[in-house]
Amino acid sequence: MKKFTVQVIAGANVASVIVMLLVGYSDRLNPTDHPLLSTLGMTLPIFLLINLAFIFFWLIFKWRMVWISVCGFLLAYVPISIYMPINSQKDIPEGALKVISYNVCSYGGNYKYEDGFEHVRDYLFEENPDIVCLQEDVDTWRRYAFIHYEKHFAHNDTMVIANTSQSFNALGIHTKYPIIRRECIPYQSEANGSVAWWLKVGDDTLIVVNNHFESCHLSSDDRKQYRQILKGEMSRDSVREESKMLLIKLAEANAKRAGQIRAVRRYVQEHDQYPVIVCGDFNDNPISYSRHAMAEAMTDCFVETGKGIGLSYNQKAFSFRIDHFFCNEKLEPYYCKIDGEMDASDHNPLICWLKIRPKH
């Protein structure tokens, strides 16, 4: 009986490792072809914890079997290093650009601050970045934000990407460098978009692509029910039905986002003679087609220079790194981090230091 029990548990351990690997490498699946399977990446931390629990179990009861989970973690090194990179911080050289990407949630204060705009403004002034890319920078006209930002940033621009009865959205840039031109990257979306700003940085032309890709369109009721599922406060039949509805919404958003990602990637490749930064709210986790597809053409600055999980979306039960930062080979990233202390939005700011490489 003891031998049989060990075999059953070992089989369960092998199965968990296989599922962990399938989930970890699911970011290769194109959501257009595999919409539901493309949502698996967000479950990676669950399977990491399960296999970690197996390690502790084997260490206590039969340590020789610990090799199953250890081999699993070794095989899953790539997705683990993407989800939770561990890098030593490089010295940031003089002349490096400090860039902040931040979804400011329309300066709403994250339901904590009535003066949400002032919190964001003061934070940005204190951080003193060279370039700020804002998503949901939609309060510009009501609060005359430019009057405030112009006190610190010499060049400011906001472009409306959605203006309907259902949604209003805009992307903004606030920078110390002259803006040469701007253009919206065309792709299909009702409320989201991507804008490329061309900046004059010394003798170089730097292209900064600020993005707010397709959201998952989860209502407040959807989020509430998801939290109830996690807490076990819902009947089995209700869990099955609500989980199915949530997966469908996530899959539909993934499929729409895939085309948007490819459009931005094409734009980057068409302008690879310039140093290019791509950043913003991707609305997708690290183990996703969105991040993987962009990383095929560019360097993921957080994965290369960051440390830890880096949760950029700070709502309970939905904590993921959904804000990302990329650069092409004409830029060298030195350090990238999520500022978890800034809570004036439902996102945390993503900060990166990088430098334009010398021309050969």
Side-chain angles (χ1 to χ4, degrees):
M1 178 63 72
K2 181 179 179 182
K3 183 178 180 181
F4 176 75
T5 302
V6 168
Q7 289 175 342
V8 169
I9 296 174
N13 194 177
V14 170
S16 70
V17 166
I18 292 172
V19 175
M20 178 178 70
L21 294 175
L22 291 174
V23 167
Y25 291 97
S26 65
D27 56 359
R28 274 71 173 169
L29 296 175
N30 188 330
T32 306
D33 302 322
H34 308 282
L36 286 174
L37 291 177
S38 70
T39 65
L40 291 176
M42 62 190 300
T43 65
L44 179 64
I46 296 173
F47 292 99
L48 293 178
L49 291 174
I50 289 173
N51 281 282
L52 186 62
F54 271 114
I55 286 181
F56 287 114
F57 174 84
W58 292 126
L59 287 174
I60 294 172
F61 295 101
K62 198 173 183 66
W63 67 269
R64 289 187 180 90
M65 302 298 290
V66 78
W67 66 267
I68 300 175
S69 285
V70 170
C71 287
F73 281 123
L74 291 175
L75 291 172
Y77 172 77
V78 171
I80 291 173
S81 64
I82 291 171
Y83 182 80
M84 187 173 53
I86 300 176
N87 299 291
S88 58
Q89 185 176 343
K90 299 179 183 177
D91 292 332
I92 300 171
E94 186 177 349
L97 300 172
K98 183 179 182 181
V99 184
I100 294 180
S101 175
Y102 191 16
N103 184 325
V104 295
C105 195
S106 304
Y107 300 110
N110 201 16
Y111 307 105
K112 296 181 179 180
Y113 306 104
E114 292 183 3
D115 53 347
F117 171 78
E118 287 74 16
H119 269 74
V120 172
R121 177 202 63 194
D122 294 345
Y123 170 79
L124 294 176
F125 287 5
E126 183 178 344
E127 286 294 319
N128 191 30
D130 299 291
I131 302 169
V132 177
C133 291
L134 299 182
Q135 301 88 46
E136 297 189 29
D137 190 15
V138 301
D139 222 15
T140 299
W141 298 274
R142 191 174 77 220
R143 295 180 184 270
Y144 303 99
F146 279 10
I147 295 176
H148 295 269
Y149 284 139
E150 285 171 353
K151 296 176 182 178
H152 194 84
F153 300 105
H155 307 276
N156 303 271
D157 189 35
T158 297
M159 187 172 186
V160 175
I161 55 176
N163 188 2
T164 68
S165 57
Q166 286 77 35
S167 61
F168 184 64
N169 197 1
L171 295 170
I173 192 168
H174 308 282
T175 175
K176 300 176 181 179
Y177 301 106
I179 300 171
I180 302 171
R181 58 184 284 200
R182 71 172 184 183
E183 54 187 333
C184 187
I185 299 175
Y187 57 69
Q188 188 174 359
S189 180
E190 294 181 3
N192 301 88
S194 299
V195 180
W197 276 277
W198 297 48
L199 308 182
K200 187 67 174 175
V201 181
D203 296 328
D204 294 290
T205 297
L206 172 67
I207 299 177
V208 180
V209 184
N210 188 5
N211 305 273
H212 190 188
F213 290 115
E214 198 75 24
S215 71
C216 297
H217 304 293
L218 298 181
S219 66
S220 56
D221 285 339
D222 291 333
R223 297 172 188 272
K224 181 179 179 181
Q225 289 163 355
Y226 174 68
R227 293 188 183 98
Q228 289 176 339
I229 291 173
L230 294 181
K231 293 177 181 179
E233 299 175 350
M234 195 177 290
S235 67
R236 182 178 299 178
D237 290 340
S238 297
V239 167
R240 188 181 299 110
E241 189 63 27
E242 293 301 328
S243 298
K244 183 179 178 181
M245 291 178 61
L246 286 172
L247 281 175
I248 290 173
K249 284 192 174 185
L250 292 172
E252 289 175 348
N254 284 355
K256 291 179 181 178
R257 202 179 298 119
Q260 299 169 3
I261 292 288
R262 289 194 292 268
V264 172
R265 191 173 66 177
R266 281 195 302 272
Y267 183 90
V268 169
Q269 291 170 334
E270 290 167 358
H271 299 86
D272 63 356
Q273 68 270 36
Y274 299 102
V276 182
I277 291 171
V278 172
C279 63
D281 180 2
F282 278 52
N283 270 311
D284 221 337
N285 71 91
I287 310 301
S288 63
Y289 175 83
S290 300
R291 193 219 67 88
H292 176 74
M294 197 64 71
E296 286 184 318
M298 307 184 78
T299 298
D300 185 326
C301 297
F302 188 87
V303 171
E304 290 295 319
T305 68
K307 185 184 299 183
I309 298 174
L311 303 178
S312 68
Y313 190 66
N314 56 40
Q315 299 303 288
K316 291 182 179 178
F318 291 90
S319 298
F320 292 100
R321 187 170 82 247
I322 65 173
D323 299 83
H324 302 283
F325 199 110
F326 297 85
C327 68
N328 67 357
E329 60 184 10
K330 290 183 170 52
L331 288 146
E332 181 174 359
Y334 287 91
Y335 181 48
C336 208
K337 70 171 185 175
I338 304 290
D339 188 348
E341 299 299 318
M342 180 54 177
D343 61 351
S345 169
D346 54 357
H347 289 246
N348 296 324
L350 175 58
I351 309 173
C352 192
W353 287 263
L354 64 173
K355 195 170 184 178
I356 298 174
R357 298 181 189 272
K359 296 178 182 177
H360 297 293

